[in-house]
Amino acid sequence: MLSSLPEKFRSHGLKADVRTLLLLRKAMQKGLIKTLGDIYNVLKGIVVKEPSEMGPFTKAYYEYFLYVPIEPGQTLEDAILRSETFAKWKTQFLDEAGKDLSDEELVTEFLDQVHLTSYDIKEVINGKEIWDKDNPDLADEDGLENDGEPAERVLDKMADYSDLSLEELLERMEKVREQQKTRHGGGSHWIGTGGISPYGHGGAAKNGIRVGGQGGGKMARKVMGDKNYFPIDRDALLNDNNVDAALASIKGVIEESAIEKLDVPLTIKSGLKRGGLFIPELSSEKNEELKVIVLIDNGGYSMAPYVRSVQNLFRKMKTRFAHDLEVYYFHNTIYNRVYVDERRTKSITIDKLLAHSKRYRVFFIGDAAMAPYELDSHSIQSIQSIVSKFKKCVWLNPEPLKYWPYTYTIQVMKELVPMFPLSPAGIERAVRKMNEKSSN
Amino acid sequence: MAETTHWTGSDKYLCDPALAQAFHMARTLGMPLLIEGEPGTGKTELPIHYAKDRGLDLEVYPVGSKSNIEQFVARFDHVKYLRDSQIEILNAQREEKGLESKLTTGNRNPEKLGDYVVKGPAAIAYSKPNSVLLIDEIDKAPREFPNDLLYALSHRKFIMPESGEVIEISEADMPAIVITSNREQELPTAFKGRCIYHYIDFPDKEVMGKIIEKHHPKLDEKVVRVALDVFYHLRRLGLERAPTTREILNWLKYMGDIAPKEAVKKIEGLEGIGALIKTQTDMERVNRMIGADDTFGGSRLN
């Protein structure tokens, strides 16, 4: 059941495997999953491991469970409005609702139903029970029948539902999922109106929500509108929105360890002084090292759009590694000197750069695009000398990956320095590459 | 049986519904809950208030740059062990010389290794069914710490060093484990895989209003509204260190003793803004952008 789920989620760059299914199964056994909204919540807790994954996760969920594809750059609302799933749901919903709603209201209603969780339902039930108990006289009156009924129905259905075995539940879930795809699937099996949600057609769920007012409804809308949930393309080039994701990956280069050790020589020494009474002396060994040199190509128009984001990224780094970060500038490629200031007026020679401890990690940032004659043997030599001195070097390139094969100088530079796209995902891979080397 | 009912906060702590659900899920599945989010969003407060509200025992392990698994689970105190055994020798020597006075080992017996096991919060929490264990700011730990935790968290069993005592707990009795992180360092994937993850979003104005009410119930409504306006305005400036929940609460604590009308004036004049702004650069920036109000308001008040 749902065996294609890990594959689907992985295709969105998320970590999912058979363990995800096992956990999902366990969650069902424990009664955590009763609605489609519950699946969203539980899967989110299991699959999403950092804020930047929220977007891809939501995308995968909508595609897998609701057949709502979200194109890059499209908002969730747009994607829903354009989907067949929504069209089918709308027809049915409008039939039942008997009133006209704007697209926006419809989407809100749709989100309500998709993201309705059993917590919301419980809240409604609890609220109702308390309310009913508080007003015994009123509850008996005919006029309030309409209000009282749905809650009871929810209760009934919830009770019915708990008899379902896990296998049946899984089967039903899969079926509903399939039916959302096929044209004829509509009708009685819909989110909120049957199928996966335990409440029957003509939806106690919907009534429930109306009674409850808040819960799934308002929440869903608010949550889905949040930029964290809005699909962020992790392969998108660095910009102000994903600079934090990039920073998170760049922090992975920190090497830090601290251990308390028994200082044997000192113990013996002081023990002898005490006349043979040995009292252990401890010393702490602490290693914290992250020394970074950043070489930024800030010449040329092609780099201009990225300079700000890049600086923003390293400024944030700088607040954390105040003493261990050095930034130099160059134009297109490096000859025999690099510049200390942005305007490239003050410079140091390449020898001076090479005089740094070899423990420094070097990030080149540039598009590596230049006239072929600029990348002459002299420049290649300079780069090679940097790479051979500092074993941990990577090049981050803001140029979209697909254009790399068409730029001759990128091809050459790539051979000299391991090159990665300047995107959060690219930086992550670059950092991994750096750490790989460090273990050798 | 561990406590697995759905907890939605107490009168002192407003729990975001999404967080409450994630917490419930983690407890039901017997997995640790990993909470990330901006500083000051109440990550650490969750287990503290939960334990208090439900009357459960709470064990806290604040993580630092020198944290290691021994501190967290249990370590054998070699120093005391060596000291006590030396003292035994010393006492024997003194006795030989006919000296009366003896040095004490403080009821510890070097024959009993268990006396020298110092239990950490994990071992204590695991030996008490249905307790709460908070691992605070795990991102401050050395890189290998989270990986070392993996074993401890997934096998509900610890073996005490040297003494060999086994502390084991059933899945049903697992303590509710909450781990917080400020994302200063990326945690290993395998570690995250063992946790239920939740990212706390920064509360919006409406929710923040409620949070403030929980902490300072007597505060005038208008004061809160004006303060919130200023607060969210500051957050939008893109400061290096945007003010957080903790800071607005502190700021308002100071305003609480002043008559509402006066307080509104003070807030509008950005008085005591040092409670919200934490770095020099940010202060300069605020002064530059809305500083006119500051000196203006300030001088009018004086």
Side-chain angles (χ1 to χ4, degrees), chain A residues 23-40 42-43 46 118 161 169 173 196:
Chain A
L23 262 176
L24 193 63
R25 216 186 146 89
K26 190 170 165 194
M28 284 181 187
Q29 266 163 340
K30 300 257 183 188
L32 285 174
I33 296 179
K34 293 196 166 71
T35 70
L36 203 55
D38 287 340
I39 298 187
Y40 179 86
V42 170
L43 265 180
I46 299 172
S118 41
Y161 182 73
L169 178 65
M173 234 166 77
I196 215 158

PDB file of all heavy atoms in Angstrom, chain A residues 23-40 42-43 46 118 161 169 173 196:
ATOM      1  N   LEU A  23       6.820   3.901   9.586  1.00  0.00           N
ATOM      2  CA  LEU A  23       6.412   4.867  10.611  1.00  0.00           C
ATOM      3  C   LEU A  23       4.976   5.315  10.396  1.00  0.00           C
ATOM      4  O   LEU A  23       4.206   5.467  11.340  1.00  0.00           O
ATOM      5  CB  LEU A  23       7.334   6.079  10.569  1.00  0.00           C
ATOM      6  CG  LEU A  23       8.461   6.095  11.583  1.00  0.00           C
ATOM      7  CD1 LEU A  23       9.339   7.301  11.343  1.00  0.00           C
ATOM      8  CD2 LEU A  23       7.896   6.149  12.994  1.00  0.00           C
ATOM      9  N   LEU A  24       4.638   5.500   9.132  1.00  0.00           N
ATOM     10  CA  LEU A  24       3.286   5.934   8.782  1.00  0.00           C
ATOM     11  C   LEU A  24       2.295   4.875   9.259  1.00  0.00           C
ATOM     12  O   LEU A  24       1.245   5.162   9.826  1.00  0.00           O
ATOM     13  CB  LEU A  24       3.198   6.111   7.264  1.00  0.00           C
ATOM     14  CG  LEU A  24       1.974   6.837   6.727  1.00  0.00           C
ATOM     15  CD1 LEU A  24       1.953   8.267   7.227  1.00  0.00           C
ATOM     16  CD2 LEU A  24       1.970   6.830   5.215  1.00  0.00           C
ATOM     17  N   ARG A  25       2.671   3.638   9.053  1.00  0.00           N
ATOM     18  CA  ARG A  25       1.858   2.506   9.468  1.00  0.00           C
ATOM     19  C   ARG A  25       1.706   2.492  10.988  1.00  0.00           C
ATOM     20  O   ARG A  25       0.611   2.298  11.511  1.00  0.00           O
ATOM     21  CB  ARG A  25       2.579   1.243   9.020  1.00  0.00           C
ATOM     22  CG  ARG A  25       1.695   0.139   8.563  1.00  0.00           C
ATOM     23  CD  ARG A  25       2.586  -1.064   8.310  1.00  0.00           C
ATOM     24  NE  ARG A  25       1.860  -2.255   8.655  1.00  0.00           N
ATOM     25  CZ  ARG A  25       1.092  -2.894   7.786  1.00  0.00           C
ATOM     26  NH1 ARG A  25       0.985  -2.458   6.547  1.00  0.00           N
ATOM     27  NH2 ARG A  25       0.430  -3.960   8.146  1.00  0.00           N
ATOM     28  N   LYS A  26       2.814   2.727  11.648  1.00  0.00           N
ATOM     29  CA  LYS A  26       2.774   2.742  13.107  1.00  0.00           C
ATOM     30  C   LYS A  26       1.844   3.855  13.587  1.00  0.00           C
ATOM     31  O   LYS A  26       1.060   3.664  14.516  1.00  0.00           O
ATOM     32  CB  LYS A  26       4.189   2.963  13.637  1.00  0.00           C
ATOM     33  CG  LYS A  26       4.326   2.760  15.130  1.00  0.00           C
ATOM     34  CD  LYS A  26       5.777   2.746  15.540  1.00  0.00           C
ATOM     35  CE  LYS A  26       5.949   2.902  17.031  1.00  0.00           C
ATOM     36  NZ  LYS A  26       7.322   3.225  17.408  1.00  0.00           N
ATOM     37  N   ALA A  27       1.949   5.003  12.930  1.00  0.00           N
ATOM     38  CA  ALA A  27       1.104   6.134  13.307  1.00  0.00           C
ATOM     39  C   ALA A  27      -0.368   5.771  13.147  1.00  0.00           C
ATOM     40  O   ALA A  27      -1.214   6.168  13.943  1.00  0.00           O
ATOM     41  CB  ALA A  27       1.455   7.352  12.474  1.00  0.00           C
ATOM     42  N   MET A  28      -0.672   4.993  12.083  1.00  0.00           N
ATOM     43  CA  MET A  28      -2.060   4.587  11.875  1.00  0.00           C
ATOM     44  C   MET A  28      -2.512   3.648  12.982  1.00  0.00           C
ATOM     45  O   MET A  28      -3.607   3.765  13.510  1.00  0.00           O
ATOM     46  CB  MET A  28      -2.185   3.874  10.537  1.00  0.00           C
ATOM     47  CG  MET A  28      -2.149   4.816   9.373  1.00  0.00           C
ATOM     48  SD  MET A  28      -2.327   3.884   7.853  1.00  0.00           S
ATOM     49  CE  MET A  28      -2.045   5.187   6.679  1.00  0.00           C
ATOM     50  N   GLN A  29      -1.619   2.714  13.316  1.00  0.00           N
ATOM     51  CA  GLN A  29      -1.939   1.765  14.380  1.00  0.00           C
ATOM     52  C   GLN A  29      -2.248   2.483  15.680  1.00  0.00           C
ATOM     53  O   GLN A  29      -3.107   2.080  16.440  1.00  0.00           O
ATOM     54  CB  GLN A  29      -0.770   0.818  14.604  1.00  0.00           C
ATOM     55  CG  GLN A  29      -0.900  -0.455  13.828  1.00  0.00           C
ATOM     56  CD  GLN A  29       0.428  -1.186  13.723  1.00  0.00           C
ATOM     57  OE1 GLN A  29       1.499  -0.597  13.907  1.00  0.00           O
ATOM     58  NE2 GLN A  29       0.370  -2.461  13.422  1.00  0.00           N
ATOM     59  N   LYS A  30      -1.527   3.569  15.906  1.00  0.00           N
ATOM     60  CA  LYS A  30      -1.705   4.310  17.153  1.00  0.00           C
ATOM     61  C   LYS A  30      -2.880   5.272  17.052  1.00  0.00           C
ATOM     62  O   LYS A  30      -3.078   6.095  17.937  1.00  0.00           O
ATOM     63  CB  LYS A  30      -0.436   5.103  17.478  1.00  0.00           C
ATOM     64  CG  LYS A  30       0.785   4.227  17.642  1.00  0.00           C
ATOM     65  CD  LYS A  30       1.147   4.044  19.087  1.00  0.00           C
ATOM     66  CE  LYS A  30       2.407   3.223  19.190  1.00  0.00           C
ATOM     67  NZ  LYS A  30       2.713   2.862  20.557  1.00  0.00           N
ATOM     68  N   GLY A  31      -3.551   5.238  15.928  1.00  0.00           N
ATOM     69  CA  GLY A  31      -4.735   6.071  15.777  1.00  0.00           C
ATOM     70  C   GLY A  31      -4.456   7.536  15.508  1.00  0.00           C
ATOM     71  O   GLY A  31      -5.275   8.393  15.800  1.00  0.00           O
ATOM     72  N   LEU A  32      -3.290   7.812  14.949  1.00  0.00           N
ATOM     73  CA  LEU A  32      -2.977   9.220  14.665  1.00  0.00           C
ATOM     74  C   LEU A  32      -3.537   9.672  13.327  1.00  0.00           C
ATOM     75  O   LEU A  32      -3.571  10.854  13.040  1.00  0.00           O
ATOM     76  CB  LEU A  32      -1.463   9.430  14.671  1.00  0.00           C
ATOM     77  CG  LEU A  32      -0.764   9.457  16.021  1.00  0.00           C
ATOM     78  CD1 LEU A  32       0.731   9.516  15.835  1.00  0.00           C
ATOM     79  CD2 LEU A  32      -1.223  10.655  16.833  1.00  0.00           C
ATOM     80  N   ILE A  33      -3.908   8.716  12.496  1.00  0.00           N
ATOM     81  CA  ILE A  33      -4.353   9.104  11.154  1.00  0.00           C
ATOM     82  C   ILE A  33      -5.803   8.721  10.933  1.00  0.00           C
ATOM     83  O   ILE A  33      -6.165   7.545  10.965  1.00  0.00           O
ATOM     84  CB  ILE A  33      -3.460   8.460  10.082  1.00  0.00           C
ATOM     85  CG1 ILE A  33      -2.040   8.992  10.219  1.00  0.00           C
ATOM     86  CG2 ILE A  33      -4.014   8.747   8.697  1.00  0.00           C
ATOM     87  CD1 ILE A  33      -1.081   8.414   9.226  1.00  0.00           C
ATOM     88  N   LYS A  34      -6.615   9.746  10.736  1.00  0.00           N
ATOM     89  CA  LYS A  34      -8.014   9.476  10.454  1.00  0.00           C
ATOM     90  C   LYS A  34      -8.501  10.262   9.254  1.00  0.00           C
ATOM     91  O   LYS A  34      -9.538   9.975   8.696  1.00  0.00           O
ATOM     92  CB  LYS A  34      -8.867   9.813  11.681  1.00  0.00           C
ATOM     93  CG  LYS A  34      -8.598   8.893  12.856  1.00  0.00           C
ATOM     94  CD  LYS A  34      -9.694   8.978  13.888  1.00  0.00           C
ATOM     95  CE  LYS A  34      -9.619   7.842  14.887  1.00  0.00           C
ATOM     96  NZ  LYS A  34      -8.464   7.971  15.792  1.00  0.00           N
ATOM     97  N   THR A  35      -7.757  11.266   8.884  1.00  0.00           N
ATOM     98  CA  THR A  35      -8.183  12.069   7.738  1.00  0.00           C
ATOM     99  C   THR A  35      -6.976  12.344   6.845  1.00  0.00           C
ATOM    100  O   THR A  35      -5.838  12.086   7.216  1.00  0.00           O
ATOM    101  CB  THR A  35      -8.735  13.435   8.178  1.00  0.00           C
ATOM    102  OG1 THR A  35      -7.645  14.213   8.661  1.00  0.00           O
ATOM    103  CG2 THR A  35      -9.777  13.315   9.247  1.00  0.00           C
ATOM    104  N   LEU A  36      -7.278  12.904   5.704  1.00  0.00           N
ATOM    105  CA  LEU A  36      -6.221  13.276   4.772  1.00  0.00           C
ATOM    106  C   LEU A  36      -5.314  14.334   5.412  1.00  0.00           C
ATOM    107  O   LEU A  36      -4.104  14.331   5.223  1.00  0.00           O
ATOM    108  CB  LEU A  36      -6.872  13.839   3.507  1.00  0.00           C
ATOM    109  CG  LEU A  36      -6.081  13.811   2.205  1.00  0.00           C
ATOM    110  CD1 LEU A  36      -5.627  12.395   1.893  1.00  0.00           C
ATOM    111  CD2 LEU A  36      -6.936  14.343   1.071  1.00  0.00           C
ATOM    112  N   GLY A  37      -5.931  15.226   6.175  1.00  0.00           N
ATOM    113  CA  GLY A  37      -5.149  16.258   6.864  1.00  0.00           C
ATOM    114  C   GLY A  37      -4.186  15.645   7.870  1.00  0.00           C
ATOM    115  O   GLY A  37      -3.074  16.133   8.059  1.00  0.00           O
ATOM    116  N   ASP A  38      -4.615  14.553   8.497  1.00  0.00           N
ATOM    117  CA  ASP A  38      -3.733  13.865   9.434  1.00  0.00           C
ATOM    118  C   ASP A  38      -2.515  13.308   8.715  1.00  0.00           C
ATOM    119  O   ASP A  38      -1.407  13.350   9.226  1.00  0.00           O
ATOM    120  CB  ASP A  38      -4.467  12.708  10.124  1.00  0.00           C
ATOM    121  CG  ASP A  38      -5.465  13.209  11.152  1.00  0.00           C
ATOM    122  OD1 ASP A  38      -5.314  14.368  11.578  1.00  0.00           O
ATOM    123  OD2 ASP A  38      -6.373  12.459  11.509  1.00  0.00           O
ATOM    124  N   ILE A  39      -2.763  12.759   7.529  1.00  0.00           N
ATOM    125  CA  ILE A  39      -1.632  12.212   6.777  1.00  0.00           C
ATOM    126  C   ILE A  39      -0.631  13.316   6.491  1.00  0.00           C
ATOM    127  O   ILE A  39       0.577  13.131   6.615  1.00  0.00           O
ATOM    128  CB  ILE A  39      -2.099  11.599   5.439  1.00  0.00           C
ATOM    129  CG1 ILE A  39      -3.039  10.444   5.700  1.00  0.00           C
ATOM    130  CG2 ILE A  39      -0.896  11.111   4.634  1.00  0.00           C
ATOM    131  CD1 ILE A  39      -3.406   9.688   4.477  1.00  0.00           C
ATOM    132  N   TYR A  40      -1.153  14.474   6.118  1.00  0.00           N
ATOM    133  CA  TYR A  40      -0.261  15.595   5.828  1.00  0.00           C
ATOM    134  C   TYR A  40       0.592  15.906   7.053  1.00  0.00           C
ATOM    135  O   TYR A  40       1.810  16.016   6.969  1.00  0.00           O
ATOM    136  CB  TYR A  40      -1.089  16.816   5.415  1.00  0.00           C
ATOM    137  CG  TYR A  40      -0.253  18.033   5.109  1.00  0.00           C
ATOM    138  CD1 TYR A  40       0.287  18.218   3.843  1.00  0.00           C
ATOM    139  CD2 TYR A  40       0.015  18.978   6.093  1.00  0.00           C
ATOM    140  CE1 TYR A  40       1.065  19.318   3.561  1.00  0.00           C
ATOM    141  CE2 TYR A  40       0.792  20.082   5.822  1.00  0.00           C
ATOM    142  CZ  TYR A  40       1.316  20.247   4.556  1.00  0.00           C
ATOM    143  OH  TYR A  40       2.101  21.342   4.280  1.00  0.00           O
ATOM    144  N   VAL A  42       1.258  14.059   9.831  1.00  0.00           N
ATOM    145  CA  VAL A  42       2.145  12.989  10.276  1.00  0.00           C
ATOM    146  C   VAL A  42       3.332  12.858   9.316  1.00  0.00           C
ATOM    147  O   VAL A  42       4.480  12.817   9.740  1.00  0.00           O
ATOM    148  CB  VAL A  42       1.381  11.655  10.399  1.00  0.00           C
ATOM    149  CG1 VAL A  42       2.345  10.503  10.623  1.00  0.00           C
ATOM    150  CG2 VAL A  42       0.375  11.729  11.537  1.00  0.00           C
ATOM    151  N   LEU A  43       3.033  12.831   8.037  1.00  0.00           N
ATOM    152  CA  LEU A  43       4.115  12.721   7.050  1.00  0.00           C
ATOM    153  C   LEU A  43       5.068  13.901   7.174  1.00  0.00           C
ATOM    154  O   LEU A  43       6.278  13.755   7.053  1.00  0.00           O
ATOM    155  CB  LEU A  43       3.541  12.683   5.633  1.00  0.00           C
ATOM    156  CG  LEU A  43       3.314  11.314   5.019  1.00  0.00           C
ATOM    157  CD1 LEU A  43       2.741  11.474   3.625  1.00  0.00           C
ATOM    158  CD2 LEU A  43       4.587  10.489   4.967  1.00  0.00           C
ATOM    159  N   ILE A  46       7.435  13.327   9.847  1.00  0.00           N
ATOM    160  CA  ILE A  46       8.392  12.260   9.557  1.00  0.00           C
ATOM    161  C   ILE A  46       9.380  12.673   8.462  1.00  0.00           C
ATOM    162  O   ILE A  46      10.572  12.414   8.568  1.00  0.00           O
ATOM    163  CB  ILE A  46       7.646  10.980   9.099  1.00  0.00           C
ATOM    164  CG1 ILE A  46       6.718  10.476  10.207  1.00  0.00           C
ATOM    165  CG2 ILE A  46       8.626   9.890   8.710  1.00  0.00           C
ATOM    166  CD1 ILE A  46       5.818   9.340   9.768  1.00  0.00           C
ATOM    167  N   SER A 118      -7.928  15.205  12.614  1.00  0.00           N
ATOM    168  CA  SER A 118      -8.797  14.650  13.655  1.00  0.00           C
ATOM    169  C   SER A 118      -8.749  15.506  14.917  1.00  0.00           C
ATOM    170  O   SER A 118      -9.649  15.463  15.728  1.00  0.00           O
ATOM    171  CB  SER A 118      -8.440  13.196  13.955  1.00  0.00           C
ATOM    172  OG  SER A 118      -7.061  13.013  13.981  1.00  0.00           O
ATOM    173  N   TYR A 161     -15.761   4.309  12.599  1.00  0.00           N
ATOM    174  CA  TYR A 161     -14.482   4.308  11.920  1.00  0.00           C
ATOM    175  C   TYR A 161     -13.427   3.542  12.686  1.00  0.00           C
ATOM    176  O   TYR A 161     -12.585   2.869  12.123  1.00  0.00           O
ATOM    177  CB  TYR A 161     -14.065   5.769  11.766  1.00  0.00           C
ATOM    178  CG  TYR A 161     -12.796   5.955  11.047  1.00  0.00           C
ATOM    179  CD1 TYR A 161     -12.757   5.750   9.687  1.00  0.00           C
ATOM    180  CD2 TYR A 161     -11.646   6.338  11.705  1.00  0.00           C
ATOM    181  CE1 TYR A 161     -11.584   5.918   8.999  1.00  0.00           C
ATOM    182  CE2 TYR A 161     -10.477   6.514  11.036  1.00  0.00           C
ATOM    183  CZ  TYR A 161     -10.452   6.312   9.688  1.00  0.00           C
ATOM    184  OH  TYR A 161      -9.288   6.482   9.018  1.00  0.00           O
ATOM    185  N   LEU A 169      -8.117   0.379   6.225  1.00  0.00           N
ATOM    186  CA  LEU A 169      -7.856   1.817   6.170  1.00  0.00           C
ATOM    187  C   LEU A 169      -6.876   2.125   5.053  1.00  0.00           C
ATOM    188  O   LEU A 169      -7.085   3.030   4.248  1.00  0.00           O
ATOM    189  CB  LEU A 169      -7.312   2.278   7.521  1.00  0.00           C
ATOM    190  CG  LEU A 169      -6.935   3.755   7.625  1.00  0.00           C
ATOM    191  CD1 LEU A 169      -8.169   4.622   7.480  1.00  0.00           C
ATOM    192  CD2 LEU A 169      -6.259   4.050   8.942  1.00  0.00           C
ATOM    193  N   MET A 173      -7.544   4.216   1.686  1.00  0.00           N
ATOM    194  CA  MET A 173      -6.731   5.395   1.380  1.00  0.00           C
ATOM    195  C   MET A 173      -6.208   5.330  -0.042  1.00  0.00           C
ATOM    196  O   MET A 173      -6.272   6.281  -0.798  1.00  0.00           O
ATOM    197  CB  MET A 173      -5.546   5.431   2.335  1.00  0.00           C
ATOM    198  CG  MET A 173      -5.432   6.702   3.071  1.00  0.00           C
ATOM    199  SD  MET A 173      -4.306   6.489   4.431  1.00  0.00           S
ATOM    200  CE  MET A 173      -2.758   6.545   3.603  1.00  0.00           C
ATOM    201  N   ILE A 196     -11.595   8.656   2.526  1.00  0.00           N
ATOM    202  CA  ILE A 196     -10.629   8.666   3.591  1.00  0.00           C
ATOM    203  C   ILE A 196     -11.157   9.274   4.882  1.00  0.00           C
ATOM    204  O   ILE A 196     -10.838   8.839   5.965  1.00  0.00           O
ATOM    205  CB  ILE A 196      -9.372   9.408   3.130  1.00  0.00           C
ATOM    206  CG1 ILE A 196      -8.192   8.715   3.768  1.00  0.00           C
ATOM    207  CG2 ILE A 196      -9.399  10.854   3.431  1.00  0.00           C
ATOM    208  CD1 ILE A 196      -6.962   8.986   3.004  1.00  0.00           C
TER     209      ILE A 196
END
